[in-house]
Amino acid sequence: MRTAALTALVLALPLAAHAEQLTFEIGAGVGAAPAYEGSDEYKASPSLSGSVSRLDFLFFNIDRGDGLGFGFGPSFRVLSERTEDDYSRLAGIDDVDTALELGLKLSYRWQHAEIFGALRKGVTGHDGLVLDLGGDAILAAAPRTEVRVGPRLSFANDAYADTYFDVPTGAALAAYDADAGLYAYELEMSVRHDFNESWAVQGTVGWTHLTGSMADSPVVQERDSGRVSVQVIRTFDWRW
C-alpha cells in the first residue's frame, strides 16, 4: 500500500508542476461580398476569424511558439439571409435565414508557406457541410508585416446545394436540382501588421469563381465575384 501510494505521488508531481497554457487569437471586423452566392449585388457583413497557436493541457500539446508546424482553431462563416422580398427574381424559392457555420480548421506552416483544411456545418440557415482546402505563399514585407497569397477550393454536400442552388417547380426561375461537389475556386491575398504581441490589423481581398453543378443553377447571376474585409485581431495568452 505504501509503495503504491509513493509511486502515485511521484507520478503526480510532474503534472502538479506543469502549467497549462492556451494561446489563441480572435479577429473581428467588416467586409463586403455578394449579397448571396451568385448574386450581382454586394452588401456589407461581419467578418470573423480565429485560431489557436498553443494548447498545453495534460498530455495534449500543440505549440506554434515559433509560428511553424501544426496549428488548429475554430472555423466559422456567416451568410446573410436571402428572401424573395429582397430579391424578386427568387420568387417561389424558399427564404433562407441568416446562416452560421461552425467547424474546425487544421493547418501546417513552413517558414514561407502554409496549407490548411477547414470543415464547417451549418447550425442556422442550413444544415449542410462545407469543406475548404487551400494554401498560401508567405512573405515578410516589413518588420511585423506579413503578406499572404494563395488559392482556395470549396466543396459542399447535397444539403448545402439544395438550400442555396435548387429551384423548385413553379418558381419564377426554371426548375433545377443542384448536386454536391466542388463549387468554387478562389484566390485570396491578405496583409497583416502586428502592432505588438496583443494587437494586429489585417486586410483581405479575394476573387471567387463558382463552378460545377451549383454554378449552373438559375439562381446564379454572376459566376465571378470579389470580396474585401478588414479585421482587428486580439491575441490572448491564458495560463493556469
Side-chain angles (χ1 to χ4, degrees):
M1 291 287 291
R2 291 180 179 178
T3 301
L6 182 59
T7 301
L9 178 61
V10 170
L11 292 175
L13 283 175
L15 292 177
H18 180 73
E20 281 73 25
Q21 180 178 357
L22 172 62
T23 304
F24 65 99
E25 64 180 36
I26 296 177
V30 65
Y36 57 86
E37 289 179 310
S39 174
D40 61 357
E41 300 179 31
Y42 284 73
K43 67 182 299 184
S45 61
S47 176
L48 305 172
S49 66
S51 66
V52 176
S53 59
R54 181 170 183 174
L55 175 60
D56 194 354
F57 182 69
L58 297 179
F59 301 104
F60 190 70
N61 182 279
I62 290 182
D63 185 359
R64 296 185 73 179
D66 58 0
L68 306 179
F70 284 102
F72 78 100
S75 178
F76 36 84
R77 183 173 67 154
V78 176
L79 299 174
S80 299
E81 68 175 0
R82 194 187 73 184
T83 69
E84 67 173 82
D85 288 339
D86 293 330
Y87 311 104
S88 58
R89 65 185 301 270
L90 302 181
I93 301 176
D94 289 341
D95 294 342
V96 183
D97 294 332
T98 299
L100 173 63
E101 298 173 355
L102 297 177
L104 183 67
K105 177 179 179 180
L106 299 176
S107 63
Y108 190 91
R109 174 165 176 172
W110 296 269
Q111 185 173 1
H112 298 297
E114 184 173 39
I115 56 175
F116 71 86
L119 180 65
R120 298 183 302 276
K121 186 180 189 307
V123 294
T124 65
H126 72 87
D127 59 0
L129 290 172
V130 178
L131 172 66
D132 294 334
L133 301 176
D136 286 324
I138 304 172
L139 305 173
R144 292 183 173 272
T145 300
E146 180 179 87
V147 177
R148 290 170 170 259
V149 59
R152 311 279 189 266
L153 297 175
S154 294
F155 302 81
N157 68 353
D158 280 323
Y160 185 89
D162 292 347
T163 300
Y164 288 102
F165 297 96
D166 274 10
V167 180
T169 301
L173 299 174
Y176 187 79
D177 183 14
D179 296 325
L182 173 67
Y183 83 96
Y185 302 98
E186 299 182 10
L187 183 64
E188 181 176 287
M189 183 179 73
S190 65
V191 180
R192 170 173 172 155
H193 179 74
D194 287 80
F195 298 103
N196 50 47
E197 293 183 356
S198 299
W199 292 98
V201 63
Q202 178 171 294
T204 303
V205 296
W207 164 81
T208 300
H209 176 76
L210 298 179
T211 189
S213 173
M214 287 178 248
D216 291 334
S217 168
V219 170
V220 175
Q221 294 173 286
E222 295 288 345
R223 292 191 176 213
D224 294 286
S225 63
R227 53 188 169 81
V228 60
S229 67
V230 177
Q231 291 185 354
V232 175
I233 299 170
R234 177 72 163 90
T235 301
F236 300 87
D237 189 6
W238 292 352
R239 300 168 189 262
W240 64 95

